[in-house]
Every structure is written in C-alpha cells, then in structure tokens.
Amino acid sequence: MQLQVLEKAYEARSKKVNKIETVKNLKNPMEAFEKITEYAREGYDAIEDEDKKYFLKCFGIFDKDGLTPKQFMMRVRVAGGHLNAIQAKKIGEIAKNFGQDYIDITTRAQIELRFLNIEDMPAVLNGLEEVGLTSYQTGVDNFRNIVTDPFDKDGFDNVLPSYDLLKKIEKTFLKNPDWISTLPRKFNTGISGSLANRCNVFGHDCSLVLAQKDGVYGYNMFLGGRVGMIAKNADIFLANEEEVLQAYGALIAIFQKYGFRDNRNKNRLHFLIEAVGMAEISAAIRDVAGVNFATAGDTMTQIDPVDSEHGKIQLRDGSFGVQIIVPSGIFTGSDLIKVSELSQNYGNNEIRFSVEQNIYILGVKDTAALLEDSFFTKYKNINTPYFNNLVACAGTKHCAFGVIENKEDAIEMAAYLSKAVPLESGRVRMYWSACVKGCGTHEIGDIGFEGCKAKVKGQTEDGVHITIGGKIVSEGKNGYTVIKSAPLKFSKYFVETLVLEYKKLRLKNESFEAFHDRILAQYSHAYLGFYMQLQAYLRSKNIAIDLNINKIPKTGHIEEFELFELGRKLYFALSKQEPYTAYNRFTNENPREKLIPLNKIVSDIDKNINELVFKMLDVEAKRAVVFSELLPLISLADND
C-alpha cells in the first residue's frame, strides 16, 4: 500500500524531466571517466561538452573554465573527515605539484583541489588511488561524502563507534556503476554515535543519530534535511549495524525509484517526504527492507561540543586531539604536508577534518612540544571565539554560483569583531554561504550570512541576509532572518551590536546559542534586526545610550508593543524623563497628553533620532506600528 502512494506521487511529478536527466541518458558515466587519459593527451578542447558540464562531475572533476580558464577543481572524498599521515602528505604533494599549492577544506570535512589541468588528471587520480583515496561520486546526482564525529571511537563521549559502519554504508554505492549518477539528486548522509554533535548530524538527507530504546543503544533515523531544513524524525530505531544497512538500503532504493526528476530545485528527498508524508516513507522503508523496525527511541546526540574553546580534547587512551584553526577552510598543500609531519612526529599518524573546516592531529601525548612548533605561529591552536568555529563556502573566487567573495568576507568580519568586541572566552558560530544554495550551512549558525545583492543609495552592492538562532543541540534547528539584504560593508557593525549584547549579558561559560535561547528568543525577529541597526547607527554618531537589548519587557513578540516600549526607553535615556505620565499597555493612558519632542529638551539631539523617537511615541500623528517604517532614519548609508 505504501509503495502505491509513492508510485502515485511519482507519476504526478513525471509529466516532464529536467535537462540534466536528458543529459544523463546520453551515456554511461564510466565512458567519460575512461576517456580521461585520452583527454589528458589531446588537451582541454578535446573534452566533450556533456563531459565538462556533467559526467566528469560524477567523479569529482569540475570544469572551472569560467573562473580559471581551462582548469578544474577536484573534490577528494575523505570519509568521515578521517585521514592518515600518508594520505595527507599525498594530497599535499598533489596540491603543491599540480594545483598551485591551494586547498579548501569543505563543510563536509573533505578536500577540494583547484587550478588542475586536464593534462595532469591521470597523475592526480593515480596518486590518490595509491593511498586509498578517490574523488568518485563527490558531485552532481550521487551519494556525497558521509560525515561523522571526527573523534568517533577515540572520544570519551562516543557510545557507538560509527566509522566502520560508515565504511560499510559507503561500500554499498561507492564505485558501483548501479549507483553512479542514478539518483534524482544528490544525497547527503551523516552518522553519529556520540553524545556531542560534532558533524551537524541533523542536516542531511539521511541522518543516523545515537539513540537508546529499551536499554539498547542504536540509531534513530532522521530524514529530509537540506539547505534551510533540518531532518525530521522518521520514527525508526535501528538497533544494530545490520538494521542500519537494511534500512539505508531500502531508503536509497526508494529514492532512486520514486524520487522526482522534474524540477531540480525540488528533487531532494525532502520533497518526496513532503509529497507523501513521513509516515508513508517510514512504512515504505519497513516494507522494502522486509523488517518491522522499532519505533524511535530517545535521541542522545544533543550536546553542544566545546572542544574548539580549549584547542585540544583528551582521548580515551590519555592522548589528545590537538586543534588547528583554519579560517574559512583556506589551506595549502605545503601546510598539509607539514601537518602530516607533525602527526608522525607528535601524534599517532591520524588526522581529522571537521565540518567547521578545522583540523585535528590525534594521539598527541606531549601537547606543549607540538604547540612550540613554528607552524602554530601561522595557524592558531585557539583563536578568538569569532574564528574558532568560523565556516565559509567557496564564494565568487572559486564558485560560479557565488554572489559574494565570502571566504575573505568571513575572515574580515571575524578580525573586526576580535578587535571591536574582544572576548576572552565564548562560542559564537558564524557560518557564511555565498549564495542561496547554502553550502556554508548558514541556516544553522548562531549568526548566519547568505550572500545576496543590496542597494546603497540606488547602487547595487554586495550584501548578506543575516540570520540568527540556528541550533546544533537537541535535534537541531534552523535560524531565522533578522536583516534582509544588509549591505556587506555595514554588516559587521550590525553583528557588532549582537556580540556586544552577548558580552554584556551572557552568563558564565554561556555559548551564543544558549544566550539566544535565554534572551534573544523572547523578542520578535523585527525587533532584533531593528535593534542591531539602531545601535550601529548610534555608535556611528557617537551617541552613548545605556540600553541593553532586553531592557524592554517581554512582549509576547508583539511588534507594536516592542516598538512603543523601545521608544519609551530611548526617550528616557536621552532626556532623563518619561514621554508620558501613565501608560495603558503600549500607548499613553491619557490620549490628550501631548508628546514633547526630544529636540525641545535636548538641544544637540541628532535630527534622525529625534524624528525616530517621535514616530515611535506620538499618538496625534500616525504612529509607527512596525519597525520597517523606521529603518530609513537609521541607515548607515547616510554616513557613508
């Protein structure tokens, strides 16, 4: 019965197929892969158009002719972010010899090499294969790199070691022609057997998350995660590895057969679930697997990891995983070779990448000796709270979809905040995506940035949508937008407002995520965005006001109430007197009482602030009831 429902939903979306599906029918992807040696011999211009545009991407080879003429990017699969020293050295050598010594660490804990020529591709691929690495299926409609806890079995908070299970899942599809480019869309998987969420485990098409049911440890299955959407509980508990493989096999068979192939923007697993309901998908998984899997247990991966604040973490054998902060994931082959050497000299030859684009050297017994190495003058073991968890995807320099440069923008923001609002401790996850595709996972950041265009005095400039409130604890949560289309050059001043409030009001050892839930979540999105811009304007005018973001009472997210109360606080802070003698909710009690404009009390008041407060409080004029009416009065563009 469940498959009939899926069949009906599939048929409803099968009136046409998208252009990529038409391209897929031109050939078997392996035909393109087998021609790489020929292409290397004959040169870039000999490469068939459909291979440049699609088929080579099945093997992680991306044509970047539009950005770097006749050159390619290669995405190297690093399962779970786990590398050994030999593999790291080989990647570093390939980057150094063939890719201008450039490396990007990605938000799926893998590697991207750039500036590669087709003539060198056979040597690059062979070099990877020599050390057990591959670029297979790291692009387009394939199973992407599976992520897991970088510490896995070595971590004290790990309950179920998951890396070996990850490799068993990977074996199902990796280099298997039946699964190369046969999915309707890309498919992301995350698995965590740990109490701490170190791999954004709720953000994938399929998320397998540590759980307990009836005293048994296993995994709850969450499905349908994508950009802007956290995966939802499928009400399936998998008690052992065999059940995981059975359920996963059933799921991918369902997606391969019934996933939509019309509109590529709506072809991820999420949209199939949306069409038929999670209950139907879960029932279909049980049906196809032939196993009546138990209903969900208690999800246990719910802790916000604090490792980045300490720069190291003790492992089960008494040694340490030592952190290397890599701002925006920008790295070099030479430096990865150095990391390999440090791992061999001070660690146990094991290296880990994180989804926050940082690196760990495992098995370090003498951390002091390691940290004395000159390498740690270039890369910090512990940076400021703005750098420790900084994430940024490729941006316009390396990605055709990018709207803003992104990586350097993220670094510039973190550097500014480090000086403007220094924090001795704290955890502030700033995640940057250069466009709506969201490869920088901005939607789950404490403070997220999505690249866009903004207008400044009628001119189009780089901008960002600013979000806050993303969560990785509990079962995860996407953030919400507080400022749309903020000019990029002003965005650091808006964010400065938030972190100033965090610094003033945070409890001891409180993360920004917890601070948000305790204070910021009590107010409307409009109030928070307005307050960020208001305080930036006041600072630009050197107007000092003793006003915290929570100075107004909790208003039940009623914007008109928040607006009036903020107006009262501003009026009093500037004039040292109340605007009215008495109040009835969010207006003055006596409607005949006239508001005295601030400029009648404060001689040198800023004219925009005078008008702003008047519009917030005056009952005789048409009083503002939403914050958007007031934003033109506090535009930083007027000071630009």
Side-chain angles (χ1 to χ4, degrees):
M1 183 64 179
Q2 283 71 36
L3 300 184
Q4 291 176 2
V5 173
L6 289 167
E7 185 70 45
K8 185 177 179 180
Y10 176 77
E11 289 175 356
R13 290 277 301 271
S14 297
K15 308 304 180 187
K16 61 179 181 178
V17 296
N18 61 64
K19 293 180 181 179
I20 295 298
E21 289 297 328
T22 302
V23 171
K24 288 182 187 180
N25 291 328
L26 295 176
K27 64 174 69 172
N28 184 315
M30 291 305 300
E31 295 177 40
F33 187 79
E34 290 164 0
K35 293 189 73 173
I36 288 176
T37 300
E38 178 184 330
Y39 289 150
R41 184 172 60 252
E42 297 183 0
Y44 179 88
D45 293 333
I47 305 173
E48 294 179 12
D49 190 56
E50 64 268 21
D51 291 349
K52 290 178 186 175
K53 291 181 176 178
Y54 182 81
F55 289 106
L56 289 178
K57 294 179 183 178
C58 295
F59 308 97
I61 303 169
F62 293 75
D63 179 27
K64 292 294 179 180
D65 184 51
L67 295 169
T68 54
K70 298 188 177 184
Q71 291 184 319
F72 293 83
M73 178 269 281
M74 175 180 284
R75 191 173 290 146
V76 180
R77 195 177 201 100
V78 183
H82 289 219
L83 274 185
N84 60 45
I86 293 173
Q87 292 171 324
K89 181 181 180 182
K90 177 60 69 173
I91 293 174
E93 290 172 344
I94 290 172
K96 191 174 179 181
N97 294 334
F98 303 112
Q100 297 184 22
D101 205 24
Y102 186 89
I103 281 176
D104 272 329
I105 303 172
T106 79
T107 57
R108 296 201 70 77
Q110 55 190 350
I111 286 290
E112 287 180 353
L113 304 171
R114 302 192 184 277
F115 312 112
L116 301 177
N117 297 313
I118 191 64
E119 292 80 3
D120 298 320
M121 206 60 69
V124 171
L125 291 168
N126 289 337
L128 293 175
E129 291 290 343
E130 286 173 6
V131 294
L133 294 172
T134 185
S135 62
Y136 263 70
Q137 293 151 282
T138 55
V140 289
D141 301 347
N142 286 291
F143 296 93
R144 303 299 184 86
N145 195 45
I146 303 176
V147 300
T148 191
D149 184 337
F151 302 126
D152 195 47
K153 64 180 177 61
D154 298 309
F156 271 104
D157 62 354
N158 180 258
V159 177
L160 291 180
S162 301
Y163 181 73
D164 289 344
L165 175 57
L166 179 158
K167 295 297 287 185
K168 290 176 183 178
I169 293 172
E170 189 178 76
K171 190 175 180 180
T172 302
F173 60 81
L174 188 59
K175 296 187 177 181
N176 182 343
D178 292 339
W179 290 109
I180 299 175
S181 186
T182 62
L183 296 176
R185 203 65 170 83
K186 69 178 179 181
F187 194 90
N188 289 335
T189 306
I191 178 168
S192 175
S194 300
L195 299 173
N197 182 5
R198 294 190 183 88
C199 62
N200 178 22
V201 74
F202 298 101
H204 312 279
D205 295 277
C206 178
S207 303
L208 300 165
V209 187
L210 179 67
Q212 187 189 78
K213 187 178 178 71
D214 297 331
V216 174
Y217 288 106
Y219 301 92
N220 278 343
M221 177 177 269
F222 290 73
L223 301 175
R226 64 180 184 88
V227 171
M229 189 65 61
I230 293 294
K232 304 300 182 185
N233 198 321
D235 198 25
I236 290 176
F237 175 76
L238 305 170
N240 50 54
E241 290 190 358
E242 182 181 0
E243 287 194 353
V244 169
L245 296 174
Q246 290 171 322
Y248 192 85
L251 172 65
I252 60 178
I254 290 166
F255 183 53
Q256 184 188 54
K257 184 173 183 179
Y258 298 107
F260 305 137
R261 296 177 185 265
D262 51 356
N263 182 349
R264 282 185 68 79
N265 291 326
K266 295 185 177 181
N267 283 6
R268 294 283 291 274
L269 177 67
H270 166 82
F271 295 100
L272 179 60
I273 296 171
E274 186 178 63
V276 303
M278 185 67 82
E280 293 289 348
I281 293 290
S282 299
I285 291 171
R286 291 180 170 95
D287 190 6
V288 172
V291 180
N292 187 24
F293 300 114
T295 56
D298 297 321
T299 300
M300 301 188 69
T301 301
Q302 298 191 2
I303 297 175
D304 184 3
V306 296
D307 317 324
S308 61
E309 295 178 45
H310 305 286
K312 63 181 180 181
I313 184 169
Q314 187 177 12
L315 305 176
R316 285 187 181 272
D317 65 359
S319 67
F320 287 86
V322 176
Q323 178 177 247
I324 302 166
I325 301 296
V326 185
S328 291
I330 300 171
F331 211 53
T332 72
S334 297
D335 289 330
L336 190 56
I337 293 170
K338 178 63 176 179
V339 169
S340 172
E341 294 171 356
L342 293 173
S343 173
Q344 292 173 313
N345 293 336
Y346 297 98
N348 62 0
N349 296 314
E350 291 296 322
I351 296 161
R352 300 290 181 262
F353 297 143
S354 77
V355 296
E356 290 187 322
Q357 300 174 299
N358 293 327
I359 302 174
Y360 282 92
I361 296 175
L362 300 193
V364 178
K365 294 182 178 178
D366 190 344
T367 59
L370 170 61
L371 294 174
E372 285 175 2
D373 191 280
S374 60
F375 180 81
F376 288 95
T377 61
K378 182 176 182 179
Y379 296 96
K380 294 183 182 295
N381 167 238
I382 305 174
N383 209 317
T384 74
Y386 309 109
F387 278 106
N388 286 338
N389 304 100
L390 186 66
V391 168
C393 67
T396 53
K397 188 174 181 180
H398 297 300
C399 178
F401 296 110
V403 180
I404 61 174
E405 197 285 335
N406 206 53
K407 283 184 176 288
E408 293 298 336
D409 297 326
I411 291 170
E412 195 276 336
M413 168 85 75
Y416 173 80
L417 295 174
S418 296
K419 292 181 179 179
V421 193
L423 293 170
E424 293 184 3
S425 65
R427 179 172 167 79
V428 185
R429 297 179 300 108
M430 298 198 300
Y431 290 1
W432 288 71
S433 296
C435 74
V436 69
K437 288 182 176 293
C439 295
T441 62
H442 65 276
E443 73 281 357
I444 60 165
D446 290 329
I447 308 172
F449 306 87
E450 178 192 321
C452 66
K453 291 301 179 182
K455 290 285 188 181
V456 179
K457 294 183 178 180
Q459 300 297 312
T460 300
E461 296 187 2
D462 286 350
V464 285
H465 303 310
I466 301 177
T467 64
I468 66 172
K471 296 172 68 68
I472 61 172
V473 301
S474 186
E475 293 185 359
K477 186 177 181 181
N478 283 319
Y480 51 86
T481 302
V482 287
I483 304 179
K484 287 187 68 68
S485 303
L488 183 58
K489 63 186 177 185
F490 300 143
S491 61
K492 61 186 177 185
Y493 305 122
F494 303 149
V495 175
E496 181 181 0
T497 298
L498 279 184
V499 295
L500 279 168
E501 298 298 316
Y502 174 55
K503 184 174 183 176
K504 285 188 293 184
L505 304 174
R506 68 187 288 240
L507 303 176
K508 185 178 180 180
N509 299 323
E510 186 175 41
S511 67
F512 191 93
E513 185 169 317
F515 169 75
H516 168 272
D517 291 351
R518 183 173 61 87
I519 290 181
L520 303 184
Q522 310 306 318
Y523 303 101
S524 73
H525 307 169
Y527 168 64
L528 297 173
F530 179 82
Y531 188 88
M532 291 165 66
Q533 295 172 82
L534 170 65
Q535 289 285 36
Y537 180 84
L538 293 172
R539 290 193 302 274
S540 75
K541 296 291 186 177
N542 294 314
I543 302 172
I545 295 179
D546 182 18
L547 183 69
N548 296 335
I549 201 165
N550 64 338
K551 203 86 170 207
I552 66 172
K554 295 178 183 178
T555 61
H557 296 82
I558 301 172
E559 190 172 342
E560 185 177 1
F561 190 3
E562 292 172 332
L563 191 152
F564 185 79
E565 284 293 313
L566 179 59
R568 282 184 58 195
K569 300 300 181 186
L570 287 169
Y571 192 98
F572 185 85
L574 292 163
S575 69
K576 305 307 178 189
Q577 65 185 56
E578 281 285 347
Y580 299 106
T581 55
Y583 304 94
N584 180 15
R585 295 193 72 211
F586 42 92
T587 188
N588 60 312
E589 194 170 78
N590 181 1
R592 294 182 179 180
E593 188 176 11
K594 294 185 181 296
L595 177 70
I596 302 173
L598 279 171
N599 63 359
K600 301 295 185 182
I601 307 170
V602 184
S603 59
D604 59 347
I605 190 71
D606 178 83
K607 65 177 183 178
N608 283 354
I609 294 300
N610 179 67
E611 184 178 353
L612 176 90
V613 176
F614 193 81
K615 286 187 173 183
M616 296 173 88
L617 297 173
D618 186 51
V619 294
E620 289 190 339
K622 186 178 179 182
R623 196 180 80 196
V625 295
V626 292
F627 286 108
S628 58
E629 297 179 60
L630 304 171
L631 288 173
L633 291 170
I634 54 172
S635 171
L636 292 185
D638 294 334
N639 299 337
D640 191 30

